[in-house]
Amino acid sequence: MSGKTVHVALIGQPNVGKSSLFTRLTGVGVISSNYPGTTVEFDEGVITRNGTTVCVHDLPGTYALSGTSDDEKVVIRDLSEGKNDAVVVVADSTDLVGGLVLCFETLELGIPVILALTKIDEARRKVRIDIDALSSTLGIPVMPVSSKTSEGVDDLADAICEGKARISDFRVRYSEPVEKAVSALGDGLPEGLPFTPRGTSVKLLENSEEFSSLIDARIGGVADIIRKIHSEDTGSSMEMEIAGNRYTMAQEIVDDIIMESDYQPTLADRISDLTITPVTGIPILTAVCLAILATIVYLGSALDTLVSGIYEKVVGTAIIDLGATVGSDFLTAVLTGIDGSIQAILGLVIPYIMVFYIILGILEDSGYLTRAVVLLDRTMHRLGLHGGSFIPIIVGLGCNVPAIMAVRTIHSRREKVILSSMIVMAVPCSAQMAIIMGATGQFSGIMYAFGILVMLVLLAIATGVLMNKLLKYEPSNLAMEIPSLQMPSASNVLFKTWYRIKDFFMIAFPLLVLGSIVVEILLTFDVLDAIVDPLSPVTVGLLGLPAVCSIAFIVGILRKEMALGMLQILAGGVALDVFMTPDQFVVFGVVMAIYMPCVATLITMWKEIGWKETVAVSVMSVVVAIVLGTATNILLQMF
Ligand code: GDP
């Protein structure tokens, strides 16, 4: 089937979990349309695997295929058009009988079918289903799935793409009068009907208008006579008898394949359930995020003080003094740059980034992060992303460099661009967080710092929604199965932390040293000053900040965490809270949080998503930072 587009329809009774399954299967980029001439809506999405593109239609929920409601008519019309290469019948595994009846009806029409048993997570708590027995009874693949945990969704997507759907010769055992009527009608049916003679005959006997319209009125008339005679002879309608036969058979099969389960949920199962059920999962996730934030802020700053104290004691000004001893301005600038870089690395990497990665490692290793991904999957789809994008976003709170690297795991370019933009503009790395908390939080008040964080969340959502609309749709899907919840292993967590910090040293540290040396040289030779004036209409005019802040912003492109230190230097010995007003620190925090990625992130982005997009995202971030900074400035002046 390689290289061609396959059409598959999902059908199922209402409330069996069909739309949840559709969302998991097709991921982002779903298109909703109306059936021509009806108000009935259907969704269409795409799955791609190994060169096969499967266009999946989510048909309206129907109890049966008789054509008694608009929804049923739409489903029958869709099936009769013959454009579906296969149909996935979606049945609720916690209430199988109804789903099996719909499956019988579909099989009877001679359509290739895969049966998906949804809500398997819930069914398993009460019963054991013999899937193989069901599959061999029906003669089609039967796939248990859970849209809640994503279990089996990938296998189902594979089965659809590999063309595993089968036409079955399974037959419902109808009563003798029905069987006789079916064969009598079947013999008179013309060639070339969209469905099998048996299926069409049964539908005619059920008095289905949609099927009557497919054939000659004369045959329809014969069916009417048979139904009339049957009802006079037996006192009950043919439709009732056919439905009764189907239900009896479905019940017999269910009795055969379903067994009592001795399933006892463990504590981990219960906790796991709480984390992925939205009502409890969202508050848990919010609490986890706040706990991460609090740990980074408090434990981070405590470790920062400790590490800086040790550096002061052990090294002090020894490196800078070395330059002074030689008496060269240039060498002093270089050594000051190196000294600043070492301090930044010690003060940033160990307290903030390492702590963050340890927390991340614990969340990953315990299996919690995958649960958050599954929980957020649907919400993230609205932003044009998968739940899996939550991981790079969380990583971005540590450092944007590994976050952009983590974007690599996402296959669609479109999602890479959306996600990179969100990370660069709206996910503050630990250095930006240190500025938001340490400058705005300290000098303007913690509520303003939280206000900036809320603004960033809204900005992330707006960026996602907007870019999702602007960028051309590209199909991608990813169903992540959740591992069991477990105690994280210390060695795993430490290994991962080291692995990630190692990445940081390899990419960010050399740039940090180089950047600092350049800044120090420029400062030493008074070159940066030339930049202040041309930029002051923005810095002073729009943002209401001291003109020299533009230097802090430029330095921040090289190293975000250095912007605050630079501001201290620019203040020229005046205390920061005297140099700038509390309102100015709010604007400074807003701009610092949004504008330009740092050089290390820029280079990583360049490698991952290409230079055009990198430039576009960077320019956009500067514009958004200026707009939001100006708006903040105006608002603060008004109130
Ligand atoms: P539809 O009417 O067939 O499209 O059904 P929905 O997808 O709207 O789901 C109906 C209900 O079943 C919702 O409350 C879902 O949360 C729930 N549901 C869907 N799939 C699963 C699943 O795999 N496991 C569990 N436990 N609940 C599910």
Side-chain angles (χ1 to χ4, degrees):
M1 296 209 343
S2 171
K4 72 171 198 182
T5 301
V6 178
H7 289 268
V8 171
L10 295 191
I11 67 170
Q13 296 191 323
N15 233 14
V16 294
K18 188 164 60 63
S19 18
S20 310
L21 179 62
F22 175 79
T23 311
R24 287 267 187 252
L25 268 177
T26 56
V28 297
V30 171
I31 303 162
S32 293
S33 337
N34 271 16
Y35 270 96
T38 70
T39 53
V40 179
E41 257 204 357
F42 74 98
D43 288 335
E44 207 163 33
V46 167
I47 315 176
T48 38
R49 294 276 152 117
N50 306 327
T52 306
T53 302
V54 179
C55 187
V56 185
H57 260 67
D58 182 19
L59 293 177
T62 44
Y63 286 103
L65 296 180
S66 309
T68 46
S69 67
D70 276 357
D71 286 352
E72 287 186 22
K73 282 186 184 136
V74 159
V75 173
I76 295 171
R77 219 172 300 156
D78 190 277
L79 297 181
S80 66
E81 280 166 7
K83 60 183 178 207
N84 296 311
D85 296 282
V87 163
V88 176
V89 175
V90 184
D92 181 347
S93 59
T94 63
D95 183 12
L96 253 182
V97 176
L100 279 186
V101 168
L102 186 67
C103 185
F104 295 165
E105 289 187 65
T106 319
L107 291 177
E108 208 158 58
L109 296 174
I111 298 168
V113 170
I114 293 176
L115 176 63
L117 300 187
T118 53
K119 307 189 188 175
I120 198 70
D121 58 299
E122 210 175 303
R124 207 173 277 137
R125 286 159 196 264
K126 300 174 211 140
V127 294
R128 212 152 42 82
I129 303 177
D130 190 340
I131 303 284
D132 292 340
L134 181 59
S135 172
S136 76
T137 305
L138 297 178
I140 50 170
V142 177
M143 327 256 342
V145 292
S146 164
S147 309
K148 192 166 170 184
T149 63
S150 287
E151 176 188 342
V153 176
D154 246 350
D155 293 340
L156 177 61
D158 283 342
I160 292 173
C161 292
E162 287 163 14
K164 293 261 172 78
R166 288 286 167 267
I167 296 177
S168 164
D169 46 19
F170 169 84
R171 287 181 165 215
V172 177
R173 268 192 326 271
Y174 291 115
S175 63
E176 210 186 311
V178 176
E179 285 292 357
K180 272 193 182 146
V182 168
S183 22
L185 269 182
D187 290 344
L189 288 176
E191 299 275 311
L193 287 174
F195 304 118
T196 57
R198 181 180 171 84
T200 314
S201 306
V202 174
K203 286 296 161 202
L204 290 174
L205 291 170
E206 285 184 276
N207 197 16
S208 162
E209 261 179 48
E210 291 300 306
F211 283 84
S212 306
S213 67
L214 294 173
I215 46 131
D216 202 275
R218 195 180 43 82
I219 302 173
V222 176
D224 286 344
I225 296 169
I226 296 177
R227 269 190 288 109
K228 202 159 166 233
I229 296 173
H230 180 83
S231 136
E232 282 165 9
D233 285 357
T234 61
S236 82
S237 71
M238 195 73 135
E239 295 98 294
M240 294 286 285
E241 183 139 350
I242 291 172
N245 291 161
R246 286 192 190 123
Y247 271 92
T248 310
M249 190 146 184
Q251 190 61 58
E252 277 173 22
I253 293 180
V254 167
D255 291 345
D256 277 352
I257 58 155
I258 287 193
M259 287 142 279
E260 279 290 308
S261 161
D262 46 11
Y263 171 79
Q264 290 289 340
T266 60
L267 181 64
D269 290 337
R270 290 208 181 98
I271 298 175
S272 166
D273 205 43
L274 291 177
T275 57
I276 50 176
T277 308
V279 190
T280 42
I282 298 285
I284 292 175
L285 181 63
T286 313
V288 168
C289 289
L290 288 177
I292 298 176
L293 202 66
T295 314
I296 292 173
V297 170
Y298 293 111
L299 185 63
S301 70
L303 276 176
D304 187 5
T305 316
L306 183 76
V307 172
S308 308
I310 294 175
Y311 185 82
E312 197 109 319
K313 279 222 170 69
V314 178
V315 183
T317 53
I319 296 179
I320 299 172
D321 292 348
L322 203 67
T325 323
V326 180
S328 147
D329 280 354
F330 183 78
L331 192 64
T332 308
V334 170
L335 289 174
T336 311
I338 292 174
D339 182 68
S341 308
I342 296 173
Q343 288 203 44
I345 283 286
L346 290 178
L348 186 76
V349 177
I350 295 178
Y352 296 104
I353 297 187
M354 191 185 75
V355 167
F356 172 79
Y357 284 144
I358 289 178
I359 301 174
L360 183 71
I362 293 173
L363 293 178
E364 263 178 354
D365 213 47
S366 63
Y368 178 73
L369 208 55
T370 332
R371 283 166 174 76
V373 165
V374 168
L375 180 73
L376 291 175
D377 198 39
R378 263 194 175 194
T379 318
M380 300 291 269
H381 284 186
R382 303 218 172 99
L383 308 179
L385 297 171
H386 284 109
S389 314
F390 179 64
I391 295 179
I393 289 179
I394 284 282
V395 172
L397 289 172
C399 174
N400 286 352
V401 172
I404 300 286
M405 285 173 162
V407 169
R408 193 182 300 164
T409 55
I410 288 161
H411 298 296
S412 126
R413 264 193 62 71
R414 169 184 191 279
E415 281 180 56
K416 280 186 186 180
V417 174
I418 298 181
L419 192 55
S420 305
S421 313
M422 282 168 73
I423 291 172
V424 165
M425 286 204 289
V427 179
C429 66
S430 41
Q432 285 168 310
M433 192 68 97
I435 290 173
I436 298 172
M437 291 295 167
T440 313
Q442 195 185 338
F443 301 123
S444 319
I446 197 76
M447 287 321 287
Y448 285 100
F450 278 114
I452 293 180
L453 295 183
V454 172
M455 182 194 275
L456 292 179
V457 172
L458 297 179
L459 179 62
I461 295 173
T463 310
V465 171
L466 201 74
M467 295 192 73
N468 188 24
K469 287 224 157 66
L470 290 180
L471 294 181
K472 198 168 149 284
Y473 167 62
E474 208 178 293
S476 78
N477 59 297
L478 170 103
M480 207 181 248
E481 282 197 21
I482 53 178
S484 48
L485 209 54
Q486 58 176 17
M487 269 316 268
S489 114
S491 59
N492 264 355
V493 172
L494 291 178
F495 175 74
K496 276 190 203 166
T497 306
W498 163 240
Y499 190 78
R500 285 169 165 152
I501 293 189
K502 194 178 80 183
D503 259 3
F504 186 88
F505 277 112
M506 306 280 277
I507 296 185
F509 187 59
L511 282 165
L512 229 80
V513 175
L514 198 70
S516 322
I517 293 173
V518 171
V519 171
E520 292 297 338
I521 292 172
L522 295 181
L523 269 180
T524 309
F525 297 100
D526 267 353
V527 184
L528 277 182
D529 274 352
I531 298 163
V532 172
D533 280 352
L535 290 181
S536 68
V538 174
T539 342
V540 184
L542 295 177
L543 301 172
L545 296 172
V548 285
C549 278
S550 49
I551 294 183
F553 291 140
I554 290 169
V555 168
I557 299 175
L558 299 170
R559 287 172 18 186
K560 293 278 174 196
E561 70 288 348
M562 227 180 81
L564 195 59
M566 183 53 64
L567 202 62
Q568 187 82 61
I569 296 167
L570 296 167
V574 179
L576 272 183
D577 51 348
V578 177
F579 178 65
M580 272 172 33
T581 65
D583 283 357
Q584 286 178 323
F585 273 110
V586 180
V587 179
F588 183 75
V590 168
V591 177
M592 274 311 300
I594 301 170
Y595 88 109
M596 283 297 285
C598 67
V599 173
T601 308
L602 272 173
I603 290 176
T604 318
M605 246 168 94
W606 192 311
K607 278 202 332 221
E608 298 297 332
I609 64 168
W611 70 270
K612 274 193 207 148
E613 286 79 357
T614 304
V615 171
V617 171
S618 307
V619 171
M620 189 162 79
S621 72
V622 174
V623 173
V624 173
I626 294 175
V627 170
L628 290 180
T630 309
T632 311
N633 178 31
I634 295 171
L635 277 178
L636 288 171
Q637 283 181 12
M638 276 165 55
F639 298 106

